[in-house]
Amino acid sequence: MRHVNMQGLTAPPAWAAKAKRTLDAVRAAVAADAEREFNSHWAEDAVRDLLLGLVGVKCWYCETLIVRADITVDHFRPKSEVLDVPGHLGYWWLAYEVSNYRIACKHCNSGGARYNGVREGRAKGSQFPLIGGTRARTSVDDLNSEQPLLLDPANHSDPDLLGFDSAGYARRSNTPYSSAETKRGLCRADETIRILALNDSHLVPLRSRLMREVTVLARYGDKTDIQQLIDDKVGPKAPYSSAAAMALALQRACDRPVAAPTTAATTPTPAVDPARSRVDLQGLLEHLDPDDLKAGITLTGRHEKKVHQAVLNHEGQINVLGRPWRTPTTAARAATGSNKIDGWDFWRLTIAGVEQTLAEFRATYFPPPAPA
């Protein structure tokens, strides 16, 4: 996911006038509590070509090139309903607002992505969960009061939260968790990866190969023709260019000479951040047996009379059905398909013969904060 700058993007006057007439009819239907009819003006070339001109013909979420397939214009804030928010009529007043449009592939928008032949990810569709703030329900409500859970490619800071490992898996970058994430125990990057299936079986090997190619090319980057190949792979219109850019940055960092230490002082051990333990397990790994972690600690959870299993490894990742997750809640939601599960209460592990939830294990070392 790369940042897409939409500032200054305006719809053609003729299209805007037509869209206004349709929106006026929708507004009247809402006022009369009647059925609304949305004409799909967003699919017309007049506005779609404007969006495609920003970063080329690729999905803004997963960065896959859209070749010989329908190009979907997604409403970031869904127009007609909000999944899991009863009574919400959708952000109908934004149905023809160009700033609310995102280019999406079929898998990110409607589903169909697979992992080892099994469908995964609920796709974005009409989902628009919040991690904080007050949800807008009418056209006069302040959208800035909402804190979306899903990462938004049009928000300048959101793509920086998404990183990639050397195997091509999307993951959270090293950016610290926000206060909203620690309060809710959710990682925005992990939840976006889960919902959009950004680590499906097709994407991961493509990213991994691209990152290897860029790494090799970067070793010969002083040659003009090689540098052009690199530029082609990291340019904003290239597929998976954010992963390619990360591989390039890592290789260049490795190529820099290491500065000689100025003192003989040892580097202090970084302090454990208790707030991070509200979201992931990194701060708790030292309290587990290293040999058990190396072998993998079994976690179990029960949902709707079905028992789910996962494995916690020495990096703090929770492997569910062969897929690594960095946060207990997203791992639990990936296992069960439910958007409402708290992984800290869901997963259970056994320590010294005593079975306990992850929440109980965490409370032993990081007691819950006192009520405000």
Side-chain angles (χ1 to χ4, degrees), residues 133-152:
T134 303
R135 184 178 296 279
R137 291 178 176 269
T138 70
S139 58
V140 299
D141 292 336
D142 183 8
L143 295 176
N144 291 324
S145 295
E146 296 184 329
Q147 298 179 41
L149 175 64
L150 290 171
L151 300 183
D152 179 10

Side-chain angles (χ1 to χ4, degrees), residues 106-127:
K106 175 182 177 295
H107 287 169
C108 285
N109 188 60
S110 306
R114 293 178 178 271
Y115 178 67
N116 288 346
V118 179
R119 288 175 65 93
E120 70 167 358
R122 299 181 67 177
K124 184 176 176 300
S126 60
Q127 295 196 72

